[in-house]
Amino acid sequence: MTLTPILPDQDAIELAANCLHDGGLVAFPTETVYGLGADATNDRAVARIFEAKGRPQFNPLISHVSGLEMAMELGQFGALAKELADAFWPGPLTLVVKRSHACPVSLLASAGLETIALRMPNHVVAQGLINRVQRPLAAPSANPSGGVSPTTAAHVAEGLGDRLDMILDGGPCEVGLESTVVSVSDGEDVRLLRPGTITRSELEAVCGAVVSADGHAIEAPGMLASHYAPNSAVRLNAKSASPNEALLAFGPDIVPHTGPSENLSPAGDLLEAAANLFTMLRRLDARQPKGIAVMPIPQAGIGEAINDRLTRAAAPRS
Ligand code: AMP
Ligand code: MG
């Protein structure tokens, strides 16, 4: 059954906010394109985004915020980041900064990176929703993987209508093109990661030279075979684990093990496994085992994205 988009009056915003609080998926309009929104601090809700889009990889998502105050709780804002936010927010500029130490945003939304992408959308419905939820909303474009970004609620319903909980219809998007993404995570350079509505010269008028990201492909995961690898060596499809290895298990039938272990999902639920993946990898890695043995994960649905990430973690280090 496909969803009917609803007009975003106060009652609808209230409903949508409650739905997001409960881990639901709500598509909402921004000035760029329609976003597929979930509570960015809820691992499982973020996993549902990837499941709904059917993307075979975990790419990092933009967390949408109500303003600089919320942004500064999530990321480390130096002078340069503040200057850019002052100049372009609310608006179609996404800032990639280091995650703050107590950042509550799901590691899955950051695809395991130390950085976080933040944006304050310039749209009354998006703003109303974030303000009502009082949490950052992770929201990639609301289309199935590989599809065209939606600029009307009807596009969203057509592509994802059977996989969402609600669609807020705010009419056609004004800009219709994705946000410009820049990284200021080193506090010195402004690196253009994705060209978008805000042009290089508009950025340069505010902050001086903008560096192209070509030499910094490591920042966009998926581009590098071995990316965010844990310090420990990762061994896939493990049928057993040695005592000095850590075990990353999956499902009810786990191999006997005396060392550190975590289970991605004792019930064998792939969505739960995706939600736990980065947190558990990090926790095991922090124990400094000789290696991390990972039990087989089924290559079905979101399992494909889990295996993609694990394969990268296990790839030979350069
Ligand atoms: P979309 O969700 O379609 O708007 O795309 C999000 C864009 O932001 C992609 O190009 C991501 O690679 C980029 N992005 C999000 N988070 C990060 C991050 N932490 N580091 C680098 N790029 C990011
Ligand atoms: Mg997209």
Side-chain angles (χ1 to χ4, degrees):
M1 196 194 69
T2 196
L3 271 180
T4 307
I6 61 173
L7 287 176
D9 58 16
Q10 274 314 313
D11 289 347
I13 297 271
E14 182 79 22
L15 264 176
N18 290 338
C19 175
L20 289 162
H21 256 275
D22 293 341
L25 296 182
V26 176
F28 64 89
T30 78
E31 80 278 33
T32 60
V33 300
Y34 272 75
L36 168 46
D39 173 358
T41 67
N42 178 332
D43 288 319
R44 199 178 167 93
V46 174
R48 283 192 66 198
I49 290 181
F50 289 105
E51 186 183 53
K53 283 192 65 109
R55 197 166 198 273
Q57 286 181 347
F58 295 125
N59 56 333
L61 306 176
I62 298 168
S63 291
H64 294 74
V65 295
S66 54
L68 191 55
E69 198 183 330
M70 185 186 273
M72 286 172 68
E73 284 169 22
L74 311 179
Q76 299 177 27
F77 275 69
L80 194 54
K82 274 195 203 136
E83 205 175 358
L84 287 167
D86 274 345
F88 295 105
W89 283 5
L93 180 69
T94 297
L95 296 171
V96 174
V97 297
K98 286 211 176 81
R99 289 170 66 102
S100 64
H101 295 298
C103 179
V105 169
S106 164
L107 274 177
L108 186 59
S110 286
L113 297 169
E114 307 287 347
T115 52
I116 184 168
L118 297 164
R119 180 169 102 79
M120 177 189 185
N122 186 14
H123 194 288
V124 64
V125 175
Q127 278 303 319
L129 191 59
I130 302 167
N131 277 316
R132 179 62 195 69
V133 180
Q134 281 293 304
R135 288 186 192 161
L137 298 181
S141 54
N143 53 276
S145 174
V148 178
S149 295
T151 52
T152 66
H155 293 163
V156 179
E158 215 174 275
L160 292 174
D162 56 347
R163 301 180 216 173
L164 306 180
D165 298 303
M166 270 178 87
I167 302 171
L168 295 176
D169 185 353
C173 300
E174 235 169 71
V175 176
L177 183 72
E178 281 89 349
S179 62
T180 303
V181 182
V182 298
S183 169
V184 282
S185 60
D186 70 0
E188 282 171 24
D189 292 328
V190 179
R191 295 191 297 273
L192 186 62
L193 300 184
R194 178 175 77 182
T197 311
I198 291 174
T199 63
R200 180 188 285 266
S201 54
E202 283 175 293
L203 289 167
E204 287 185 335
V206 171
C207 63
V210 171
V211 183
S212 292
D214 307 345
H216 299 268
I218 188 161
E219 284 190 80
M223 295 186 185
L224 213 70
S226 161
H227 179 79
Y228 175 60
N231 292 314
S232 324
V234 173
R235 187 165 67 81
L236 303 181
N237 295 315
K239 303 278 186 293
S240 64
S242 67
N244 51 10
E245 278 183 318
L247 174 69
L248 187 59
F250 175 79
D253 306 315
I254 72 167
V255 300
H257 184 57
T258 49
S261 74
E262 299 274 355
N263 194 332
L264 288 169
S265 170
D269 171 359
L270 287 167
L271 192 69
E272 185 182 19
N276 286 329
L277 179 65
F278 290 107
T279 310
M280 290 187 171
L281 262 181
R282 271 176 196 246
R283 240 190 260 149
L284 291 178
D285 202 26
R287 305 280 298 269
Q288 302 186 316
K290 181 175 150 275
I292 301 175
V294 186
M295 284 177 63
I297 314 287
Q299 183 74 355
I302 201 170
E304 196 179 345
I306 298 175
N307 283 320
D308 169 76
R309 182 53 42 183
L310 286 169
T311 306
R312 288 171 201 281
R317 317 285 164 84
S318 42

